[in-house]
Structures are given as structure tokens and as C-alpha cells.
Amino acid sequence: MVAESDLAAIRNIGIMAHIDAGKTTTTERILFYTGRVHRMGEVDKGTATMDWMSQEQERGITITSAATVCNWRDNIINIIDTPGHVDFTVEVERSLRILDGAIGIFCAVAGVQPQSETVWRQADRYGIPRIAYINKMDRIGADFFRAVEMIKGNLGSEAVPVQLPIGAEDNFAGMLDVIAQKAYIYENDLGENFRVRDLEPAEKEQVEEYRSYLLEKLSEHDDNILEKYLEGQEISEEEIKSSLRILTISNTLVPILCGSSFKNKGVQMLLDAVIDYLPSPLDVPRVKATDLETKEEIELEADVKSAFCALAFKIAVDPYVGKLTYFRIYSGKVKAGSVIINARKDKRERLSKILRMHANHREEIEEAVAGDIVAAVGLKETITGDTLCNDEKRLMLETIEFPEPVIDVAIEPKSKADQDKIGESLIRLAEEDPTFRTRTDHESGQTIISGMGELHLEIIIDRLLREFKVNANVGKPQVAYKESIRAKTKAEARFDKQTGGRGQFAHVIININPLPEGEGRKFTAKVSPEHIPQEYIPAVEIGVMEAMGAGILAGYPVDDLEVALIGGSFHEVDSSEQAFKIAGAMALKEGLQQASPMLLEPIMDIEVVSPEEYVGEVISDLNSRRGRIFGLEENRESKIVKGTVPLAETFGYATSLRSVSQGRAIFSMQFKGYAEVPDSKSREIIARRYGLPIVN
């Protein structure tokens, strides 16, 4: 338990990077050197502490963010190890939402990779202070200085090396400390023993160059450093660290370190940098919340004496204790057994146990306080993004936004028993993962599951079959198309049904306008009460929104449009909410017919790294997939092809790329947005959707 005065000794950090940059390996070393584990796990052998799911161990990748806690220099470090694969980027998103700082890990050979950019931009959006760690200095082709330039250029960050490598590749022996002007030489394979020595003449020259650069950057923002620097006075190590800490926390500078986590070099200095430069809960801007009684926006104080307020950021199903709700406490404290309030649902819940998590291991604690990241047992109603508070003050935090899924798979249970089991299992999986959705196709009766990519759905299906013991037939992945409109229109619908006795009557007039891509669905009411009474307007909105669930071209969801209710009429006796709901749906369907409907498809940003001799074949193959090439960049002996390609054209691309490059090219993709499908392709999709012959 953290004492009330010890908030300054807490660091809540995330570890983020492109896939295979060494996040989990680095976390394993951190746990070993801090004494949290007594044997280092290895990702390649499936023994990594943080990759505890069987699917992670088999594939050698991180799928779900795992939380742990350790101690270093009398400080408590809460760590979240996040996935690097683009399909699981939501895990990074929700982790960054509740963290105070982050370590961005970069491969010394590849430098800044596509997913490195994605997670860096996510951290920019949340204003997360970062330190950068250039890993894999022992690898062939490692180039620390190139990676530094890529961080400056590609990420637009003001990066300042505070360490320099001693050698590279097989000759990587340790680090030069730019601030302390010392050399750290590792002496054994476990990395526990290293000696500190003075700099050699060549090293001293290099360190002085980078120390001057660091002091210049500090003096641009720190008058005390500037004054001493201009007067040629000695600037102490403590002054430099203090100034660099302030500028790191304000997101002005990014300190850069280096090492080789796999070879156990550099991790202790990385831990020192976490304590020295990354913020405690007291150092970050106060989180804003809305007081639900006064409707005023207030700032939460990171103080155990304030009103309790926390954000639930992750749901997990534990086979031993059931549903686990991970939450970050921003203010106040909470005891096990307390009754707390879910502010979004306005429901009371009993927090039966509080657990401090270490990957999938649990440590029960009696109390958690401001700054803590813990898990709770017993919260049945709470989902990701919900605010937890108590009666002292009802508060609401901003929730977490998640991207829409882009790929579908049909799944059918093999028996009636599996039918019941699959429904429960999908609900539990959707609770855990906000980017996983499930729905029923009303035409085929099939259950459709949706996710962020092929690997995402592959993992979901694997868990259904193995973890939840569901027997099911699984279809091929399908693209999650959408429908939208090109033109404005006005539509009218009258629902008038007389069946003897009381009838059903509703009449609505709506305007439909297209919205820019990504704006979603909007409904507004601009109608006077004498035309449609206020109590019927929510029913019209429900009818319109439900009708958007299946468009008129191919039954795909309709998106990026605004519907305004502008007129209509009602009957004193025969009108009802149900009638207005039906009329709203009818008006939307009528309007869509007149508004020049179109199909939209997900477009992916793609980056292919290929030896120069295969670049022509790579570009030709992408062009045949309706790809658009935006740039060609140098990357040592390789070329980087950058462009976009429709998701529908990427199925089987890995095999095709291996074929055209003799297995020497690699690629990465991430979702960019939706775009209109060309007419010829649109006709083909619609025909296939309804089982009609395809006419070219």
C-alpha cells in the first residue's frame, strides 16, 4: 500500500513499439533486475511472464496488454506491456489513456517502423511524456545514430541522446553516459555486473559533442542553464537531470537511451531514466471530470483525501476469479468490500476484492489509492471506459473512443448446445475487447463477428474453440463494407394502418445530408410540437438509426450522414411511438434511394520493405490490387514502398509477396479510413451479396 505522502514515488508507465522491437523482452529484464522474478523468461521459448496467454506463447507476440508492478530505487513502477501488432492497437489506446508516461522502444536496425509511428501519434494525442530506448544494438546492421535521426524526422520529436553506444553489432559492449560523462561496460551475460570507468580520449570527444547539444536544447527553455552555459560555468549532473525532467514531462524533449535487452545490457539505466525523467501522478496535468450534480467541469487532485474517482480501462475474464475490471484511480481511495457507483450507468456495485496484478498472477490488497492501477473482482455492470466514484461526489470522466471493426467472419454453432454457449462466450469476449463486435445477419441467420484484422479474428476464434469449448463452423474473412450517400435529399413517409378499433398513424418529413468520411451518424430534430409532439421524436430517431443498420444497396450499415426531422403530422388517437418508429425507418429507406447511394470500403496504409531488385514486382503486384503508391524511400540495401490498398485486396498478400520477392520482402499495414468503391467493383460486391451472376 502506498502511503499518502508517497505519490511522488509512483511511476505509471507503458511500454510501446512496433511488433518485434523487444517490448516484452525488455519488460522481462525489468522484472528480473527489480527482483520481481528470479528467472528471465524468453518470448521465443514461450516463457515470457507478460505473454501468459497460450495464443501469445505459440505465436511469440503480445496480444493483450498485461499489467505488473515492481520497485526500483524506492519507487513503485506500474508497467503495462502493450501489443505491437496493428490488429491490437486498441490495447495501446486504452493503456495510454490512463498512463502518466511511456517508454517507446525502437529497433536499432529498422529504426522507426509503421506501428512505431502509430503508437507515437497515439501518445501525442494523449500528451504522454516519453523516453526512447533504441534496442537491439547487438544486431547486424544496428545503427544508433540513424535511429535517432529517424525519431527526429519521422516522428517530429525533439530527441536528445543521453547515452551513446560503445560499439555495435557483435562489438556492442556498453554505453557512454552523456550527462555523467562515464562509460558503463557489461562484464557478464546476465547483465547484473557492469563496471563504470572514465572516458577514453575518442569517447570523451564524442560525449562532449552530444553533451553540448543537450545543453543547447536545455538552455532554449531553461534560463538557469542558459546563463551558466553562456558564461562557461560548470553545470552539475543534478541540474541537467532536473531541467531535462521538467522538459520531458512537458513533452518538449525526448531523452534517448540505448541497449540490448536480449543480451541484458542497458536495462538498469533505462529504469534509472524512468525514475529520473518520467512523471509521477503529481507531475501530470490534472484530469478533468464532470460533476454530475452541478454539471461543472472540475480538475481532479491526485490526493488520497479527495473524492474517489477512477476509470475502468480494461475487462478480462480470469478462469479462477471471474470477471476482472482493471481501473486507474485518479483521486481518493477505495477499500475492498466498498459499494461504489458506476457513473455512466448510475448503478451501485460492490467491489468485493482489489487485486494488484502481475500478468496473470494476483495479489489481494485491502485498499488502493490515487495513482494506483489495480483490478477489481465483483463489478458486474462495468465495461471499458466507465467511471467509478462514490456518493461523496458523483463524477464522470471522459470515456475512451474505439475504432470501428473492418473485417467480418460468419460463425455457426454445430449443435443446439453450442448455440447457447456461443452467445454467452461472444458477450464475454466483446466485454473484454471493445473493437470486437457481434451481430446477426437477418437474411442468412448467421452470427457475424467483426474485428480489426485477420489475426484479431483468428485469435478470437481460437479462444472460442479452446478457452470457451465452443464447437463451430467458421467462414472465410469478409470485408466490413459500409454504405453512404453522395447527395442531399428530402424524404417523406406516412404510416397509416387501420385494423378495426384503434389504428396506427405517423407522418414524418426528413432531410438527409452526406457527412465527411469518419463523421458517423447524426440525428437532429427541427420540428415544432404542433406537427410532431416531443414524446414521439425519440421513436423517430430509433427507427432512423435502426434502418441505418442495413442499407439499400447490399444491406451493409449506412454511415457518414445526418438526418434532420423537419416536419410531419400526428393523430390524437391513432399515433404511437411504434408508428413513428416505423415511419422514421420508411422515410430513411425512401431518402436513401434518392440520395445517390454508394458503397464504402476500408483502405489500408501499406509499407513494404523489399530488396531493390524486387521493387518493380512489388509495385506491379500492388497496382494489380488497386493499390496506390505514394512514395519510395531508401533503407540501406532495401527500398521502402509506401502506399494504400483496399483491405479486400489484401487477403493472401503475405503469400503473394513471398512469391514475388523470393521470401525477402516484408510488409506492415494499418487502417487508414473508408473510401468509395469503384462502380465496377461495387456491382460485383452487390451481385455476390445477393448470389446473383456477376456481369462485367
Side-chain angles (χ1 to χ4, degrees):
M1 224 287 286
V2 183
E4 293 186 7
S5 59
D6 284 349
L7 285 175
I10 294 177
R11 300 290 182 275
N12 290 319
I13 65 163
I15 297 185
M16 59 184 202
H18 187 87
I19 192 168
D20 203 32
K23 296 178 303 301
T24 302
T25 301
T26 302
T27 309
E28 289 297 315
R29 273 50 181 177
I30 287 173
L31 296 178
F32 177 75
Y33 295 125
T34 58
R36 197 68 175 83
V37 298
H38 302 292
R39 190 167 58 105
M40 285 186 249
E42 301 296 350
V43 174
D44 295 344
K45 295 176 184 175
T47 57
T49 307
M50 304 300 274
D51 285 351
W52 56 269
M53 288 173 64
S54 54
Q55 290 85 357
E56 294 176 314
Q57 292 166 356
E58 289 165 4
R59 290 168 173 81
I61 61 170
T62 302
I63 292 167
T64 181
S65 53
T68 190
V69 61
C70 57
N71 295 77
W72 187 254
R73 279 172 37 189
D74 297 325
N75 289 265
I76 294 171
I77 308 176
N78 290 306
I79 302 173
I80 296 182
D81 175 28
T82 64
H85 196 285
V86 66
D87 282 16
F88 309 108
T89 191
V90 64
E91 292 287 339
V92 185
E93 186 81 24
R94 61 177 166 192
S95 299
L96 288 174
R97 172 70 170 78
I98 55 91
L99 291 170
D100 300 327
I103 302 171
I105 298 184
F106 300 88
C107 172
V109 181
V112 176
Q113 296 167 280
Q115 188 64 5
S116 314
E117 289 196 41
T118 302
V119 297
W120 201 263
R121 304 283 175 235
Q122 286 173 302
D124 281 342
R125 195 162 67 249
Y126 287 113
I128 304 289
R130 279 146 280 174
I131 55 179
Y133 174 63
I134 296 174
N135 190 25
K136 302 193 176 185
M137 282 303 304
D138 60 303
R139 290 283 186 92
I140 294 171
D143 188 335
F144 173 81
F145 301 100
R146 173 177 167 271
V148 170
E149 291 308 310
M150 289 180 79
I151 291 170
K152 289 180 182 178
N154 297 21
L155 303 179
S157 291
E158 197 68 81
V160 288
V162 294
Q163 285 181 354
L164 303 173
I166 300 174
E169 302 178 348
D170 287 344
N171 297 319
F172 178 62
M175 289 79 62
L176 303 173
D177 189 325
V178 172
I179 297 173
Q181 300 180 86
K182 296 286 183 182
Y184 303 116
I185 308 294
Y186 280 85
E187 295 184 318
N188 69 350
D189 291 340
L190 265 182
E192 289 176 294
N193 299 323
F194 58 89
R195 61 186 170 90
V196 182
R197 65 161 170 79
D198 292 332
L199 302 177
E200 295 173 356
E203 293 171 342
K204 189 172 179 60
E205 188 178 329
Q206 189 183 32
V207 164
E208 283 177 354
E209 178 191 340
Y210 277 89
R211 198 170 194 268
S212 292
Y213 176 75
L214 171 61
L215 291 173
E216 280 175 25
K217 290 298 173 188
L218 294 177
S219 62
E220 287 175 12
H221 308 279
D222 187 324
D223 291 341
N224 179 48
I225 298 283
L226 175 63
E227 189 178 328
K228 288 192 170 186
Y229 185 61
L230 291 176
E231 292 177 2
Q233 293 181 36
E234 183 62 32
I235 303 171
S236 71
E237 191 178 327
E238 289 71 27
E239 286 175 306
I240 294 173
K241 285 185 174 181
S242 174
S243 179
L244 183 54
R245 175 181 177 78
I246 291 166
L247 294 173
T248 302
I249 290 171
S250 67
N251 267 312
T252 307
L253 297 180
V254 177
I256 298 186
L257 298 91
C258 62
S260 167
S261 297
F262 185 65
K263 292 292 178 69
N264 310 316
K265 294 174 181 172
V267 177
Q268 296 97 326
M269 293 76 180
L270 179 62
L271 280 164
D272 285 338
V274 167
I275 305 303
D276 290 340
Y277 308 125
L278 290 182
S280 75
L282 299 173
D283 298 317
V284 292
R286 291 181 179 180
V287 173
K288 293 185 171 76
T290 302
D291 187 320
L292 293 179
E293 289 180 15
T294 65
K295 304 302 179 190
E296 290 179 2
E297 190 174 75
I298 62 170
E299 291 184 342
L300 298 180
E301 196 172 344
D303 182 359
V304 295
K305 295 174 183 172
S306 302
F308 169 66
C309 187
L311 183 74
F313 69 94
K314 179 180 169 69
I315 305 296
V317 177
D318 188 289
Y320 300 103
V321 298
K323 179 178 168 182
L324 281 177
T325 305
Y326 287 76
F327 61 97
R328 157 75 191 265
I329 304 178
Y330 287 104
S331 65
K333 58 186 176 182
V334 67
K335 289 180 181 292
S338 303
V339 173
I340 58 174
I341 294 163
N342 180 323
R344 187 179 67 85
K345 293 183 175 175
D346 193 23
K347 289 196 172 178
R348 292 176 179 274
E349 300 221 61
R350 182 170 292 280
L351 200 160
S352 57
K353 290 181 182 177
I354 302 174
L355 306 174
R356 201 177 291 288
M357 300 300 293
H358 177 48
N360 61 331
H361 300 290
R362 301 161 300 279
E363 175 194 338
E364 201 168 326
I365 57 175
E366 286 302 309
E367 184 180 66
V369 301
D372 275 344
I373 295 174
V374 290
V377 178
L379 306 183
K380 295 183 173 63
E381 300 283 342
T382 302
I383 60 171
T384 301
D386 284 356
T387 302
L388 305 175
C389 58
N390 57 25
D391 279 325
E392 183 183 343
K393 187 174 277 191
R394 298 205 174 197
L395 301 166
M396 177 80 85
L397 294 160
E398 184 183 344
T399 190
I400 309 172
E401 297 294 327
F402 297 108
E404 291 290 315
V406 296
I407 193 165
D408 295 342
V409 163
I411 186 165
E412 291 180 334
K414 289 185 177 177
S415 68
K416 180 68 175 73
D418 289 317
Q419 175 79 53
D420 300 332
K421 200 187 289 185
I422 201 170
E424 294 172 18
S425 304
L426 291 174
I427 288 169
R428 287 171 70 183
L429 287 168
E431 269 189 342
E432 285 189 37
D433 185 349
T435 58
F436 169 66
R437 310 280 170 82
T438 177
R439 62 185 168 84
T440 301
D441 188 313
H442 296 296
E443 291 178 15
S444 66
Q446 290 177 311
T447 297
I448 307 295
I449 60 175
S450 307
M452 299 306 296
E454 286 183 89
L455 179 61
H456 186 198
L457 289 184
E458 188 184 314
I459 299 295
I460 292 282
I461 290 162
D462 191 41
R463 290 188 65 192
L464 269 178
L465 302 178
R466 286 163 58 174
E467 194 177 316
F468 294 94
K469 307 289 191 294
V470 173
N471 292 311
N473 297 315
V474 180
K476 290 184 177 178
Q478 304 288 328
V479 174
Y481 293 102
K482 289 182 181 179
E483 298 184 25
S484 194
I485 57 173
R486 300 184 185 92
K488 297 179 179 180
T489 191
K490 185 176 180 180
E492 186 172 356
R494 186 184 298 270
F495 180 67
D496 190 356
K497 193 173 183 183
Q498 300 300 327
T499 54
R502 183 181 172 181
Q504 293 282 351
F505 177 84
H507 170 221
V508 301
I509 305 169
I510 59 173
N511 278 339
I512 305 176
N513 295 322
L515 292 174
E517 194 267 313
E519 289 288 310
R521 306 165 175 176
K522 294 181 182 176
F523 178 88
T524 56
K526 302 173 181 176
V527 60
S528 63
E530 64 256 26
H531 291 131
I532 299 178
Q534 183 66 37
E535 65 262 29
Y536 295 136
I537 291 174
V540 178
E541 181 176 1
I542 290 168
V544 165
M545 289 299 179
E546 284 185 0
M548 286 187 197
I552 59 168
L553 290 177
Y556 291 111
V558 185
D559 211 2
D560 297 331
L561 77 165
E562 180 179 33
V563 175
L565 177 62
I566 59 167
S569 58
F570 72 105
H571 189 280
E572 289 284 357
V573 176
D574 292 347
S575 285
S576 67
E577 289 184 0
Q578 183 65 20
F580 272 99
K581 178 181 169 185
I582 294 168
M586 289 167 60
L588 182 83
K589 295 289 186 186
E590 179 66 31
L592 292 177
Q593 299 276 5
Q594 306 162 17
S596 186
M598 61 179 174
L599 271 185
L600 301 174
E601 63 181 343
I603 302 294
M604 311 299 285
D605 275 324
I606 189 166
E607 189 170 291
V608 184
V609 181
S610 167
E612 192 165 356
E613 59 264 37
Y614 302 114
V615 166
E617 287 90 338
V618 167
I619 292 174
S620 175
D621 185 44
L622 283 173
N623 286 334
S624 72
R625 296 170 182 271
R626 298 191 286 129
R628 296 176 64 190
I629 309 302
F630 294 140
L632 200 58
E633 295 179 6
E634 297 284 343
N635 181 32
R636 294 181 173 274
E637 295 82 30
S638 302
K639 296 272 189 181
I640 302 175
V641 180
K642 291 187 173 184
T644 60
V645 64
L647 176 64
E649 307 291 343
T650 64
F651 295 141
Y653 182 63
T655 304
S656 174
L657 183 64
R658 276 197 298 270
S659 175
V660 300
S661 68
Q662 296 185 13
R664 294 177 61 195
I666 58 171
F667 78 101
S668 58
M669 286 192 306
Q670 61 190 47
F671 176 65
K672 177 180 174 65
Y674 274 82
E676 185 178 347
V677 180
D679 281 346
S680 59
K681 196 72 183 173
S682 182
R683 288 194 295 272
E684 184 184 316
I685 293 164
I686 294 167
R688 194 184 302 120
R689 179 80 163 163
Y690 293 118
L692 302 171
I694 297 169
V695 180
N696 292 322

